[in-house]
Amino acid sequence: MADLKTPAQATAPAQATTTYRESVAEGIAREMRRDSTVVCLGEDIGAAEGVFKTTVGLFKEFGPERIWDTPISEQAIIGAAMGAAMTGLRPVAEIMFSDFLACCWDYLANEIPKVRYMTGGQVTVPLVIRTANGGGLGFGAQHSQAVENWALTIPGLKVVAPSTPSDVVGLMASAIRSDDPVVFFEHKGLFASKGPAAPPDHVIPLGQAAVIRPGTDVTLVALASTVPVALSAAQALAGEGISVEVVDLRCLVPLDMATVLASVARTSKLAIVEENPYQGGWGGTVASIVADEGFETLDAPVRRLAAACVPLPFADRLEDEVIPSVRTVTDAVRKLSAY
Amino acid sequence: MATTTEVDLLDLYEQMSVIRGTEKAAQDLFLAGLVKGTTHLAAGHEAVAVGASAALRPDDYVFATYRGHHHAMARGAAPAACLAELMSRATGLCKAKGGSMHLTSAEHNMLGSYAIVGSHLPMAAGAAWSAKLRGSSQIAVAFFGDGATNIGAFHEALNLAAVWRLPVVFICENNLYMEYTPIGSVTAVEHPAADRAPAYQLPAEVIDGNDVLVVRDAVVRAAQRARDGEGPTIIEAMTYRHFGHSRTDPAKYRPADEVEQWLARDPLLVAKQRLAADGIAADRIAEVDARAAKTVADAVAAAKAAPEADPAEAFTDVWADGGAQWRT
Ligand SMILES: Cc1ncc(C[n+]2csc(CCOP(=O)(O)OP(=O)(O)O)c2C)c(N)n1
Ligand SMILES: [Mg+2]
């Protein structure tokens, strides 16, 4: 785990790189240092430092009083996190694979997002549910799904899905400081990716999308793993004279439609790149808002590039078939630009 | 010494009378069409809530089920606010956003009534975990039905609470039925909560849940264990519903002699008998009865006089900032 930055390191130029994986632990550690009510719980997160090594160093630094290994009891993990959040702690609960959210779905669907509302605002639930989401690692149908759309269907949950190491740290800070419940999707396919390390005190407010590549012909809206896909497609298309603007949503709730609508107003064409399945995917919500509120600015149909509506297959060649790739995105945007 | 017991029991008796009266009023208001949706009345279960509450500190946490009116009131929620909630009034305990199944009084550390069977047991464990980490010496209590012992969250919560030695008390209100099904016909053990305790190496007691002093004493012991760092206790309180499961269920599935036996052990009667045995004069009990009846009548009147919920309230309280905005 990264140590507390010395002042010298802190002022060093941002070329220091780190991994997305290390940034998860770094983001949590920074908040644990500033707020003693932040505690972590999950399976194998302590001495074992996480099956994805996303909690490396936490147990060593914060000890068993703040880093709790749990039994394989997803309902107890999330239910206990909820009870603790209602009574003065800021728990950060890990669900190892996002597929397993189904095992404690009651808490995400019925308990955590509703308790404040149905008690007339009497209780507050400041918790974070972190989970490794998505495909690309060949884990098969029960360990590879992109399920961010599950969380999006529920009013009362904030939904975060960062794409870069420094965004992981900045959004983790906001998620843990939030007095609302946050589901924090860490993408498995991005864990090994590298990028500039987050500067000290890096905080990215929830609900602020980023225009990460400006362009004039087509807007590509992406999230987490589809951000590098969209950037590669934009890069390839630039060589063909097609200028693509890439928007990294970063959060599904709050959903920064102002940034998306403003981008579409500039480019007049929109494609959405999602890893979750087309059926019920988050792009449907984005597209419907653009159709409703940005119709006059559009010069072409909105395109959605999402996963095929099948369970995620195991073999790489099959998985690649199902999830949008640089090739499929490039082809679609080329056609859209010529529309 | 006699005086303390006498005053205590009279006080507990009065609390139970108020709850009984409020539950009856809730039923009447439901039948009159003034309470919509459903109710799960706790008439018959009063001794569990009042006895347990008498054993707790005001800062201890309580989690209950959709059958939770008695727990809200035993912890201190006003009957008028409870009835107003059932009647969709602006003055309702939860601003009319919860209803009968979700009565909550956070100011009394009654942290909710949950209508997904068993879901709140892990929450109570979590509140106990929080108390332990904060070193507050608070404890948490989860009240649940016999039916809840067959759901996974019950077992996950017991195991977690046991391995983490959490200051939590699990209190099962065994009223012999889960909805319309006799609990014995769908459960592998005789005592659905207590018989599962050995699997988690937890102590358990099966108690008379209709005797308020028996309940209080059992919870005093369990709370002490919890505060002493000895971990969770399971209490299975045998009790019985006086109404059906919900709404207008006439509970025809219950044998007449069983109903008769249990009505003879009405927690209010049991308390009255104890008061009489302690030498409390009948007119003092009648005085308490009259005061309880007035409390209930005043609560009904206040709830009826309260304004309907403001439609604008539908769009508050989703987020901690008070609002409901999910996008820009
Ligand atoms: C998970 C879940 N399954 C089913 C129901 C429907 N249901 C509501 S109450 C109930 C019976 C529960 O019985 P018990 O736990 O004994 O509590 P009691 O109603 O007797 O107080 C059922 C099946 C539910 N609310 N939640
Ligand atoms: Mg029952």
Side-chain angles (χ1 to χ4, degrees):
Chain A
M1 189 209 67
D3 290 327
L4 252 180
K5 291 209 172 6
T6 64
Q9 284 171 313
T11 51
Q15 83 242 15
T17 63
T18 186
T19 62
Y20 186 102
R21 181 193 320 281
E22 286 162 341
S23 300
V24 173
E26 171 68 10
I28 298 168
R30 288 186 185 188
E31 292 310 302
M32 292 188 74
R33 286 175 202 132
R34 63 182 286 282
D35 182 350
S36 65
T37 67
V38 180
V39 291
C40 296
L41 71 166
E43 295 160 22
D44 277 331
I45 65 165
E49 304 193 310
V51 297
F52 293 107
K53 298 294 167 209
T54 46
T55 55
V56 168
L58 297 184
F59 188 75
K60 223 170 282 162
E61 180 172 353
F62 301 104
E65 286 292 293
R66 295 183 67 194
I67 307 289
W68 289 68
D69 276 325
T70 66
I72 309 165
S73 300
E74 278 73 15
Q75 297 188 67
I77 294 169
I78 302 302
M82 177 179 170
M86 291 163 75
T87 55
L89 297 186
R90 288 187 181 270
V92 178
E94 177 178 305
I95 295 296
M96 191 185 290
F97 284 78
S98 62
D99 314 66
F100 310 163
L101 288 173
C103 300
C104 51
W105 197 240
D106 175 40
Y107 293 91
L108 283 94
N110 289 315
E111 315 296 343
I112 289 165
K114 293 178 182 169
V115 71
R116 180 174 182 80
Y117 187 81
M118 69 189 194
T119 62
Q122 292 184 64
V123 297
T124 304
V125 195
L127 63 78
V128 177
I129 298 171
R130 302 172 38 238
T131 189
N133 189 44
L137 298 186
F139 287 141
Q142 296 183 334
H143 289 72
S144 299
Q145 299 169 87
V147 302
E148 62 274 9
N149 59 324
W150 294 1
L152 176 61
T153 61
I154 298 161
L157 295 177
K158 296 207 162 153
V159 182
V160 179
S163 71
T164 68
S166 81
D167 279 6
V168 166
V169 172
L171 290 166
M172 187 70 78
S174 288
I176 293 175
R177 294 178 198 185
S178 168
D179 284 336
D180 295 312
V182 178
V183 186
F184 196 97
F185 289 101
E186 296 160 8
H187 201 283
K188 291 195 286 288
L190 297 176
F191 279 141
S193 65
K194 290 195 169 131
D201 302 318
H202 188 45
V203 180
I204 301 172
L206 303 184
Q208 283 189 4
V211 177
I212 53 173
R213 181 188 169 106
T216 53
D217 299 332
V218 175
T219 296
L220 267 182
V221 172
L223 182 78
S225 65
T226 68
V227 171
V229 172
L231 282 173
S232 298
Q235 183 75 35
L237 289 159
E240 303 174 20
I242 299 169
S243 168
V244 176
E245 178 149 301
V246 179
V247 176
D248 180 352
L249 273 184
R250 303 201 285 202
C251 295
L252 292 178
V253 181
L255 183 61
D256 185 2
M257 285 306 298
T259 295
V260 174
L261 287 162
S263 175
V264 174
R266 287 191 292 274
T267 63
S268 77
K269 291 175 180 171
L270 171 64
I272 302 165
V273 196
E274 309 159 56
E275 191 183 321
N276 60 202
Y278 188 94
Q279 65 181 80
W282 57 263
T285 299
V286 173
S288 76
I289 294 171
V290 172
D292 194 351
E293 299 170 24
F295 184 74
E296 309 293 332
T297 67
L298 285 170
D299 284 333
V302 174
R303 295 290 181 222
R304 286 184 59 209
L305 303 149
C309 298
V310 297
L312 256 263
F314 164 67
D316 286 351
R317 291 184 63 174
L318 303 182
E319 196 178 18
D320 291 349
E321 243 353 83
V322 171
I323 298 175
S325 64
V326 176
R327 182 180 51 78
T328 55
V329 174
T330 308
D331 289 350
V333 173
R334 191 183 294 116
K335 281 193 197 123
L336 189 59
S337 131
Y339 183 87
Chain B
M1 186 206 85
T3 335
T4 335
T5 323
E6 161 191 322
V7 170
D8 277 351
L9 184 55
L10 252 189
D11 177 47
L12 301 183
Y13 173 76
E14 180 165 354
Q15 289 182 47
M16 293 197 293
S17 303
V18 169
I19 293 172
R20 174 67 55 83
T22 307
E23 293 297 65
K24 282 189 167 152
Q27 177 75 346
D28 292 344
L29 292 164
F30 182 84
L31 295 174
L34 290 170
V35 170
K36 67 162 196 148
T38 186
T39 59
H40 299 77
L41 301 175
H45 288 222
E46 294 90 347
V48 182
V50 171
S53 223
L56 298 179
R57 288 188 345 203
D59 63 342
D60 290 333
Y61 301 114
V62 162
F63 294 79
T65 75
Y66 51 86
R67 191 182 310 287
H69 301 175
H70 53 329
H71 295 301
M73 287 185 271
R75 291 301 276 167
C82 295
L83 289 174
E85 183 67 23
L86 271 60
M87 293 169 70
S88 310
R89 304 301 162 118
T91 56
L93 204 53
C94 306
K95 303 190 201 164
K97 290 201 274 214
S100 164
M101 292 202 276
H102 302 301
L103 293 188
T104 302
S105 187
E107 72 172 292
H108 299 104
N109 290 305
M110 193 280 177
L111 293 184
S113 304
Y114 297 86
I116 307 297
V117 166
S119 64
H120 60 303
L121 277 77
M123 295 175 210
W129 179 51
S130 156
K132 179 177 166 130
L133 293 187
R134 289 181 288 107
S136 67
S137 81
Q138 294 162 288
I139 69 165
V141 180
F143 295 96
F144 52 96
D146 42 282
T149 65
N150 290 324
I151 203 159
F154 168 85
H155 296 272
E156 291 194 13
L158 261 56
N159 183 61
L160 188 79
V163 291
W164 287 4
R165 258 183 126 71
L166 298 177
V168 56
V169 183
F170 295 105
I171 303 182
C172 176
E173 295 173 58
N174 183 352
N175 60 12
L176 313 186
Y177 292 84
M178 51 141 287
E179 255 171 28
Y180 319 130
T181 303
I183 192 64
S185 69
V186 291
T187 308
V189 293
E190 185 190 350
H191 283 292
D195 289 353
R196 263 70 174 260
Y200 304 100
Q201 297 200 357
L202 292 178
E205 277 192 70
V206 179
I207 63 166
D208 178 358
N210 281 10
D211 187 330
V212 70
L213 292 185
V214 168
V215 175
R216 184 191 63 178
D217 292 349
V219 179
V220 163
R221 288 190 293 275
Q224 196 54 52
R225 283 194 72 243
R227 279 189 236 283
D228 288 347
E230 289 169 40
T233 302
I234 294 176
I235 293 173
E236 182 171 326
M238 303 305 297
T239 188
Y240 205 71
R241 290 191 250 109
H242 285 194
F243 292 105
H245 169 70
S246 65
R247 292 174 62 89
T248 53
D249 167 28
K252 289 270 161 53
Y253 43 85
R254 302 194 301 189
D257 57 336
E258 179 187 284
V259 176
E260 203 178 305
Q261 264 174 38
W262 278 95
L263 288 182
R265 301 230 356 105
D266 179 334
L268 290 174
L269 281 181
V270 173
K272 259 189 191 174
Q273 283 156 6
R274 274 191 182 273
L275 286 166
D278 285 351
I280 307 298
D283 57 343
R284 287 195 57 203
I285 299 176
E287 209 176 280
V288 167
D289 283 334
R291 199 164 56 221
K294 178 161 184 336
T295 302
V296 173
D298 289 351
V300 171
K304 279 184 170 167
E308 293 283 332
D310 177 353
E313 274 295 342
F315 307 104
T316 65
D317 295 326
V318 174
W319 307 122
D321 68 7
Q325 192 186 340
W326 68 280
R327 54 159 287 213
T328 56

